[in-house]
Structures are given as C-alpha cells and as structure tokens.
Amino acid sequence: MAIKRKTLTRHGREGFKNIRRNGWMSFASMSAVAIMLFVVGAFAFLIVNTNHLIDTIENDVEIRAFFEHDVDASEQESVLEEVESHDSVENVVYRDRDEGLDVFMESMGSDGEVFENLREENPLNDALIIQATDPQMTAAVAEEVNAQSAIESVEYGESILGQLFTVTNYVRILGGALVIGLIFTSVFLISNTIKLTILSRKDEIQIMKLVGATNSFVRFPFFIEGALIGLIGAIIPIAGLTVGYSYLYSFMYDQVPFFTFVEPNPMIWQISGLLLLVSILVGIFGSQMSVRKFLKV
Amino acid sequence: MITMKRVRKTYPNGVQALNGMNIHIDKGEFVYVVGPSGAGKTTFIKLMIRELKPSEGLIQINGNNLGDLSDKQIPYLRRKIGVVFQDFKLFTKLSVYENIAFALEVIEEDPEQIKTKVMDVLEIVGLKSKARFNTSELSGGEKQRIAIARAIVNQPAILIADEPTGNLDPETAWSIMGTLEEINNRGTTIVMATHNSHIVNTLKKRVIAIENGKVVRDEVGGSYGYQA
C-alpha cells in the first residue's frame, strides 16, 4: 500500500520531534556515534598513511643491472629495449659509467671529490636502473634481466627485500583486520546505544499498536530518527578530523620534508563520505532492529 | 455485534483465564462486565482487541472472525474499537491534542479534519481548554477523559472501557459515567469492565458477571452482586 505524502511528511516531522522529545537519550546516542566515528576515522587516516608510507618505501626499490665492460652501444640499446618492453617493468633509465660516478660522488658528499681522478680510468659499469610495476615483482624481473648475456650482474638489495615485503604485508593485513574489527565494534556499540533509547519507549510503541497503528506506521519515524542520530552524530567527528588532518598535513609538509602525508584532497572527502554513510546506516539499523522487538502487540 | 462462543484462553504458564465463555452483545448496548479480581475480565478485553488470541472458540466482531485475522489486519480491527485502559495508556511526552490526534494520524486522516475532530471530541469530554497541556500536567480524571476522547475520536462502533472509574474519586467517576452515557446515546456500543458497585447498582444497565472464566450471570438492569 502506498504511503500518502502527508503521512510521509508526518513521519519526517515526528522523527525530528522525537529527537527533541527524548533529548538526553538522543544526546547519548549521538555522543556514542561521534566518539566511535572519531576513533574509526582517525584510525582510517592512520591506515591510509601507513599504506602510503609502505608504498613510498616499496617504490624506492629499484634494480641496478650492470652491463659487461665489453658490450657495445648497440647491444646495450637492444637490451634496454627488451627490458622496456617487459610486462612487469614500470620504468627503465640508462645510466652510463660517468653518470654513475657522479651519483656515487654526490652520495659521498664533500669526500666524494677524491674520486674525481677515477674519471679517466672509471671502474664502474654502464647500468640500467629498473623499477618493476609491482615492487613485489622485483626479484623475478631482476633474475630475468640477469639472464641476459650482456649483463654482468644485478643488484636489488635482495637480502633485505624479502624481509621488507614480509613486514609490509603483515602491516597491511593487520591494518585491514583492525579497521574491520573497529567498524564491527562501533556498529555494535552505536546500535546498542540506540537500542537503549528505544527500549525506554517500549510503552509508547505498545500504545501506538493498541490504537491501531500498522507496523510500518510505527517504524517510519524511528527510521528517520535513527538516520538523524547517525547524521548529526557524524558531523562533529568529521569536521574535527577534516580540520585536524589538514593541519597535520601542512605541519608535516613544512617540518618533515622527506615524508609527506597523503594529500587531504580528495582522501579526506572520501573517508568523510564513507563515515557519514556508515553512520546513517548504523543509525537506521540500530533503530529498526530495536523497534522490531516491540511491534508484536 | 460482539459474539463469543465457547472461548477458552489458557496462558503459557497454565493458568486458564477463560473457560468456555459465551457472550452476545448487540449494537448500541451498554454492558457492565463484573466479577472478582482474576475472573477473566481483562483477558476478555484483550481478546476483543486481539492483544491475545483465544486458545479455543470463536470470537466475532461485526461479523469478522478474529481468529481469521492476519497480523496485518489487526490494526484495522483496532481502529473500529475504541479502548479506554485502566492505566490510560497515554503518550506521556505528548500534549493532550497530540495524544488524540495520533489516533487520527494512524488512519491517515486529513490534517484539517484532524484539527476539527480533535477539538470536537475535546468538547464532548469537556477539556477543550487543556488541548495544549502536557498529559503529565493532568489529574487522573482528566487523563481518563483524554483516554476516552482518543478512544472515540475515530467514531468507533464499539467502546471498550477497562475500569474507567478505577482510582478516581466518586464525583469524577460519575462525570466520566455521564460522558460514557452520552457516547452510548450517540449509538456507540459500550462494554465496561468495572468493580464499582455503586455505579452498577445506580446506573442500571445489562450486567454480565464472570467467575472462573465463565459467564455466571447475565441480566438486563442487574445489580453488581458482589461485596464491594
């Protein structure tokens, strides 16, 4: 049966009014929503940035493939082309031995100048600096490149790479599990608090039923009320997290130049939107589940 | 209008509240239901509004067999029966006006009509001036009148009142009876469970006495018949 528009208006109005009528209980529910969302939101920012840090570290992983000394330019060129066309290779840069020396000297700082006299008899090899599309493919790509006869050797920090990926994988899994666990906990806590506010209105629901209200008539205002509790409860933590994160981001940007946080835009809006959606849904879920129990009159 | 045939009601804890009850009440009647505490009066009322289902037997209201009603049809039954509960069952956080209007909102009455009907019914129970009061600010007698107003605002064919004068002083009780009498005069069937011997013996009506879940006496113009 279709609901008349004026009845729908009535339900909406009642939903708003109920928030006011049950002032303290509404406040308690909204506070529970706000606190839990704040924790979930802060944790989400933490996880996003941890992932960002891991990505930064992993993306620094590169393969240095050194050519044999006696390989000529055309042969180097064909190896470069072959590596470039490899599916798992993101980026290849050719670095000849002179550049290699520059980089090496630079890395030594002022002490590097003493190596200037090596310029004539440069012992270094021409090299390819390779990045894999997926950092975790590094070892496989390195092995394939090493198989080329023109390549003398490859280096990619194989000793620490395995450990690094083990650690980063664990951090990712742990982070994901914690987020899921936290979301479940907050869904449970929020819907339980809302349940308490409705528990105190058991009599009210029974009267409605005894006066001849249908189940959906009883339910609808609670639906609106639950959604509103979720909505209003989400505003403060979202505002707080947005402002806080933007501030933290610019602070880190100025003070710690070697590691930047994930840019607030659009990440902040995505997380806020998600928090808002979850909050409203949990509000509705909590209210509907608790009303359901009292409808059998 | 109201028919009960061989109605039994046994509660899950084994208590047998009604034990083969037979009743027939016609349109426009005013009936007192009397009997000692625990005789089955409240069960009888709860069965009529399908707050309870009979364990056995037939209950018909306006020709509809309540046993055949699905859960979805129950609200529509209740809209045809006004009920005044002993504990009033008013919405404590709502105003007098909102309490009565609720019964009309439920049937999706037009907002303009709601206003008119609520004020009309407040006129009948004599509380028009208290429309904006919160129900918690009212006296027991006033609460009872609001409960009556809400029960009749839909113009139900039947008004069931469970101890409507219980806990009220004699003067207030009599004015409530005046209101019920007036409602009955407009054609509404009234079934009133009561312990008030003075009222039953003074304002003579049909008396149905229930004991141990059975009708033991049914006489028009009868008396209360129990020690008050």
Side-chain angles (χ1 to χ4, degrees):
Chain A
M1 191 178 65
I3 304 175
K4 290 184 192 170
R5 208 178 62 197
K6 60 171 188 265
T7 307
L8 216 56
T9 318
R10 180 255 170 211
H11 289 331
R13 201 181 54 229
E14 284 300 304
F16 271 95
K17 278 188 183 172
N18 281 341
I19 299 255
R20 195 167 44 80
R21 280 179 197 136
N22 303 285
W24 281 108
M25 290 310 271
S26 309
F27 179 75
S29 297
M30 286 174 197
S31 306
V33 171
I35 290 165
M36 287 316 294
L37 279 197
F38 195 84
V39 175
V40 172
F43 202 77
F45 283 129
L46 184 68
I47 290 291
V48 167
N49 277 291
T50 309
N51 269 336
H52 175 62
L53 176 65
I54 290 171
D55 285 345
T56 314
I57 294 169
E58 286 186 350
N59 286 331
D60 276 349
V61 173
E62 55 184 24
I63 303 163
R64 273 166 295 162
F66 301 105
F67 285 106
E68 299 276 4
H69 279 288
D70 55 0
V71 172
D72 65 24
S74 70
E75 214 173 325
Q76 286 185 348
E77 183 74 17
S78 73
V79 173
L80 174 65
E81 275 171 23
E82 200 180 326
V83 173
E84 263 178 343
S85 64
H86 195 288
D87 282 342
S88 302
V89 171
E90 172 80 27
N91 185 32
V92 191
V93 178
Y94 175 75
R95 186 190 286 168
D96 69 24
R97 64 186 75 177
D98 287 335
E99 261 180 88
L101 187 62
D102 290 341
V103 173
F104 174 67
M105 281 160 60
E106 214 172 294
S107 73
M108 301 296 285
S110 54
D111 294 337
E113 283 165 29
V114 299
F115 295 100
E116 186 56 47
N117 55 10
L118 285 178
R119 186 74 69 186
E120 292 307 309
E121 282 290 321
N122 191 341
L124 300 179
N125 304 53
D126 297 327
L128 293 177
I129 312 299
I130 306 163
Q131 274 191 320
T133 45
D134 177 356
Q136 314 230 6
M137 289 293 290
T138 303
V141 172
E143 242 168 73
E144 274 187 58
V145 174
N146 201 18
Q148 302 266 351
S149 59
I151 299 295
E152 185 196 87
S153 64
V154 293
E155 268 179 25
Y156 59 95
E158 54 266 60
S159 57
I160 63 151
L161 208 56
Q163 288 171 345
L164 174 71
F165 288 138
T166 312
V167 170
T168 55
N169 284 342
Y170 271 126
V171 170
R172 282 204 177 98
I173 293 168
L174 195 70
L178 276 174
V179 164
I180 292 170
L182 207 53
I183 287 176
F184 269 106
T185 313
S186 51
V187 166
F188 178 76
L189 281 178
I190 293 171
S191 57
N192 246 350
T193 317
I194 293 175
K195 224 180 246 179
L196 284 180
T197 79
I198 291 174
L199 203 70
S200 65
R201 284 148 72 188
K202 183 181 169 198
D203 292 344
E204 202 178 307
I205 295 170
Q206 280 176 339
I207 299 170
M208 291 180 186
K209 289 297 306 273
L210 289 174
V211 176
T214 56
N215 287 352
S216 58
F217 192 92
V218 176
R219 276 191 143 162
F220 217 107
F222 283 101
F223 179 93
I224 306 276
E225 194 180 335
L228 276 174
I229 286 174
L231 177 75
I232 299 170
I235 289 173
I236 293 170
I238 283 176
L241 287 170
T242 304
V243 173
Y245 186 78
S246 304
Y247 175 78
L248 198 62
Y249 173 78
S250 51
F251 177 81
M252 288 295 282
Y253 192 87
D254 294 338
Q255 304 293 319
V256 193
F258 56 84
F259 173 66
T260 53
F261 275 22
V262 179
E263 270 196 59
N265 204 5
M267 188 266 292
I268 245 179
W269 306 115
Q270 291 164 343
I271 290 185
S272 299
L274 200 68
L275 287 179
L276 190 66
L277 186 74
V278 168
S279 178
I280 292 174
L281 289 180
V282 172
I284 293 171
F285 173 80
S287 76
Q288 294 300 293
M289 287 310 285
S290 8
V291 171
R292 206 177 66 149
K293 268 199 286 187
F294 303 131
L295 287 175
K296 291 204 173 89
V297 177
Chain B
M1 174 130 277
I2 302 171
T3 306
M4 289 198 177
K5 281 183 187 159
R6 297 179 305 279
V7 173
R8 285 176 202 279
K9 175 67 195 175
T10 311
Y11 286 104
N13 63 7
V15 171
Q16 195 161 43
L18 295 187
N19 186 14
M21 180 127 132
N22 294 299
I23 277 182
H24 181 84
I25 296 169
D26 274 324
K27 189 174 179 339
E29 277 195 85
F30 194 132
V31 180
Y32 294 123
V33 178
V34 301
S37 294
K41 299 191 294 292
T42 300
T43 303
F44 165 73
I45 287 173
K46 284 186 170 176
L47 284 169
M48 276 195 285
I49 55 171
R50 254 303 290 275
E51 208 181 326
L52 291 176
K53 264 183 169 175
S55 310
E56 250 178 75
L58 177 85
I59 303 175
Q60 274 187 329
I61 290 188
N62 287 334
N64 296 314
N65 183 357
L66 299 198
D68 292 342
L69 288 186
S70 68
D71 284 354
K72 287 204 157 154
Q73 291 171 307
I74 295 172
Y76 302 96
L77 164 79
R78 290 178 182 165
R79 292 172 194 182
K80 289 183 201 134
I81 305 173
V83 186
V84 180
F85 302 92
Q86 191 177 2
D87 58 353
F88 317 129
K89 292 207 192 297
L90 297 176
F91 298 109
T92 49
K93 288 175 191 145
L94 302 192
S95 70
V96 165
Y97 180 91
E98 288 169 322
N99 260 282
I100 301 168
F102 185 83
L104 292 166
E105 286 171 358
V106 158
I107 58 166
E108 304 193 31
E109 181 63 275
D110 199 71
E112 277 306 305
Q113 283 291 310
I114 291 181
K115 218 174 199 171
T116 318
K117 288 188 176 178
V118 172
M119 292 324 274
D120 285 353
V121 84
L122 276 172
E123 177 99 64
I124 294 175
V125 297
L127 283 174
K128 207 171 177 177
S129 60
K130 301 218 163 163
R132 295 289 154 201
F133 279 53
N134 192 290
T135 49
S136 56
E137 299 167 290
L138 304 179
S139 68
E142 286 171 330
K143 282 180 187 167
Q144 192 62 279
R145 284 169 191 281
I146 300 308
I148 292 171
R150 182 181 65 189
I152 61 170
V153 72
N154 271 335
Q155 295 180 306
I158 302 167
L159 179 68
I160 297 170
D162 189 4
E163 301 278 2
T165 59
N167 307 323
L168 299 181
D169 60 82
E171 203 179 319
T172 315
W174 273 112
S175 79
I176 295 282
M177 287 315 294
T179 307
L180 290 178
E181 180 97 307
E182 196 184 326
I183 294 163
N184 180 236
N185 287 339
R186 291 165 187 236
T188 306
T189 309
I190 294 187
V191 179
M192 171 176 156
T194 186
H195 272 126
N196 194 320
S197 57
H198 184 58
I199 286 175
V200 175
N201 292 336
T202 311
L203 190 66
K204 293 278 188 184
K205 303 284 179 190
R206 177 177 166 194
V207 177
I208 295 174
I210 301 176
E211 274 176 51
N212 299 322
K214 271 186 175 166
V215 175
V216 292
R217 181 160 56 92
D218 185 349
E219 40 184 351
V220 176
S223 60
Y224 185 71
Y226 297 96
Q227 291 291 320

